[in-house]
Amino acid sequence: MGLFDIPARAPGECIINIGSGEITDLYPFLIEVAVDTSRLEFTEAVLKFETRRDVDGTWIIHDDPRIRPWAPILIEAAFGDTTEEVMRGYIRQIDVEFPEEPGSATVTVTVQDDSLLLDRLHRTDTWGEEGARVSDADILGRMLFEVNRSLANGVSDGQSDLILEQDETDASFLKKRAEANGYEYYFREGELYFGPRRLALAPQDPIMVYAGPSTNALSFSVKDDGHQPDGARFDIAAEEGEENAGEDLRPDLPLLGPEAASSVEQVDDRFVWRIQREGDTTEDSARARAQAKVNDASFKVKATGAVDGARYGHVMLVGKPVYVDGVGDRHAGTWYVDVVNHRFDLSGYRQEFEISRNAYGDNVPPGIGPNAGPLGGL
C-alpha cells in the first residue's frame, strides 16, 4: 500500500462506527460528541446532530436506518495513523427536536456502554444458600455469561460466603456490590472491571502544565483537603453482656508519592472517623465497607483540569495512574484518574479530568516531562 492510500487523520479527530461501518456521510451534520467516563459509574455518551429534510421528504439523520435504538456503536479518537477507543456500547435513546425555526432541527443520540445489557431484566432472586454460599465473583460470572460479556484481567473475587437477595436489575445490584467492597466498576472494550484501585499500573503519559512547547494542559487546579481523617475506629460486635470492641483501621493502599497526605501533621491529636455497622450486615462486609471509606479519605489531594486532546496525543483512561509535571515539587508526581469527560466539537478535542492523590512529592522519573531529552538541562 502506498503512502497516500489511506488519508491521514487530523490529531484528535473523532471516529464513529455504528453497526458495521463508519458514518462518514453523517459527519458534516455532527455538532458535538460528549463522552463521560468514571471509575465508579458506567459510561454514557451524547451525540448531537443538526438535521435537514431531503427532497423526497425524509430527514437525513433520524430517518437513516443506522440511527436506531440498540444499534451497536464504537467511538474512537484518531491521532494521525493510530486510533484509541473512547467507548463502545449501544444507542439507548434518540431525541428529535423541531423548533420554530425550520433550519434548527436537531437529533440527539444518547449512548450507554455494555452495562445497558445488564439494565434490562429486573431479577428477583436469592444468590446462595446455607451450605452453598457464593462469592461476588460467582454472581458476576453468571450475570456476564447471560449477556455474553467477560470480566477484565485483574478482577477481584470480592466478598465470599454470601447469601444475598436481589430485587432489581443486575446493573443496580452490581453497583451496590461494588460499594460494599469499595471497588471500582466500569466497562472498557467490552469487559467489566470490578475490583480495587490499581495503583501499581504503569502511569499514563504526563499532564504537562506550564511546560513551554510541551504543555498540553489547558487548565489545572488543586484542592488539598485537610479535613479528611487519617483512619477510622470500627466497632466490632462483642459477646452478650460485654461492650462492643473496637478496631483501628488505616489506609492499606500504596502511596503515590514519597510523603503520605496526612491531615494531622501539624497537630498532635488523632483525627479519625468512628464507623458503626449498619443494619444486619455481616462483620466482614461492614469491615470491607469501612476500609473502603478509610482508603477513599486518604486521597485528600484532588485536582481538576483539562488537556488539549491533540497535544496530549492519547485517550486518558479512568482507573489508571497518570503523571503530572510542571506544578511544583509538592504536587508533581503520580496521580490516579477518577473521571474523564471527552468533548469533540468544532474547536477540537478536549479532555476534562478529575484526579486524586494520597501523597505529596515529585516522583516523576527522569526522561519524562519538559526537561526530557539531551538538551533538557540547558
Side-chain angles (χ1 to χ4, degrees), residues 332-352:
T334 308
W335 293 66
Y336 198 67
V337 182
D338 298 316
V339 173
V340 182
N341 298 324
H342 304 267
R343 300 290 182 265
F344 299 89
D345 55 28
L346 292 178
S347 64
Y349 176 27
R350 179 186 180 95
Q351 301 183 57
E352 301 168 352

Side-chain angles (χ1 to χ4, degrees), residues 38-42 113-115 118 140 144 149-158 174-175 177-179 181-201 253 318-320 336-337:
S38 168
R39 65 182 184 85
L40 297 176
E41 297 288 346
F42 296 125
D113 65 14
D114 288 296
S115 64
L118 297 171
L140 286 175
L144 293 176
R149 292 296 180 268
S150 59
L151 289 167
N153 291 332
V155 167
S156 300
D157 289 341
L174 170 61
K175 182 174 183 178
R177 294 310 305 156
E179 291 172 350
N181 286 277
Y183 280 178
E184 303 175 334
Y185 55 101
Y186 52 83
F187 274 94
R188 180 175 296 153
E189 298 184 359
E191 295 183 331
L192 174 68
Y193 178 70
F194 180 87
R197 287 179 175 90
R198 294 186 286 184
L199 303 181
L201 292 177
L253 297 176
V318 300
K320 293 186 68 175
Y336 198 67
V337 182

Side-chain angles (χ1 to χ4, degrees), residues 119-131:
D119 208 23
R120 291 171 59 86
L121 173 66
H122 186 110
R123 191 191 303 262
T124 303
D125 205 348
T126 299
W127 297 99
E129 59 185 1
E130 289 298 341

Side-chain angles (χ1 to χ4, degrees), residues 2 18 25 40 62 64 140 149 173-174 185 207 209 214 217 229 274 286 293 305 312 328 339:
I18 298 179
D25 56 318
L40 297 176
H62 62 275
D64 190 301
L140 286 175
R149 292 296 180 268
F173 185 75
L174 170 61
Y185 55 101
I207 299 168
V209 184
S214 300
R274 189 170 186 88
K293 290 183 178 180
Y312 185 67
V339 173

Side-chain angles (χ1 to χ4, degrees), residues 240-288:
E240 186 175 352
E242 298 181 4
E243 293 186 2
N244 286 348
E247 178 180 335
D248 289 325
L249 298 177
R250 290 292 182 268
D252 59 4
L253 297 176
L255 296 178
L256 293 179
E259 177 189 349
S262 171
S263 296
V264 295
E265 61 181 13
Q266 304 300 326
V267 293
D268 295 329
D269 64 329
R270 295 175 60 228
F271 183 18
V272 299
W273 277 332
R274 189 170 186 88
I275 300 177
Q276 296 179 336
R277 290 170 56 182
E278 301 175 359
D280 57 354
T281 57
T282 66
E283 186 172 302
D284 287 344
S285 178
R287 181 182 288 103

Side-chain angles (χ1 to χ4, degrees), residues 39-94:
R39 65 182 184 85
L40 297 176
E41 297 288 346
F42 296 125
T43 299
E44 182 175 286
V46 174
L47 288 63
K48 188 171 184 179
F49 296 87
E50 61 179 5
T51 187
R52 298 286 185 269
R53 185 163 52 189
D54 213 337
V55 293
D56 62 357
T58 62
W59 287 79
I60 293 173
I61 303 300
H62 62 275
D63 282 334
D64 190 301
R66 294 168 293 183
I67 309 298
R68 294 291 181 268
W70 284 100
I73 185 169
L74 172 66
I75 301 175
E76 299 175 300
F79 304 98
D81 58 355
T82 64
T83 61
E84 297 181 12
E85 181 172 319
V86 179
M87 77 159 294
R88 68 176 67 184
Y90 299 89
I91 294 177
R92 189 183 71 203
Q93 182 173 319
I94 302 167

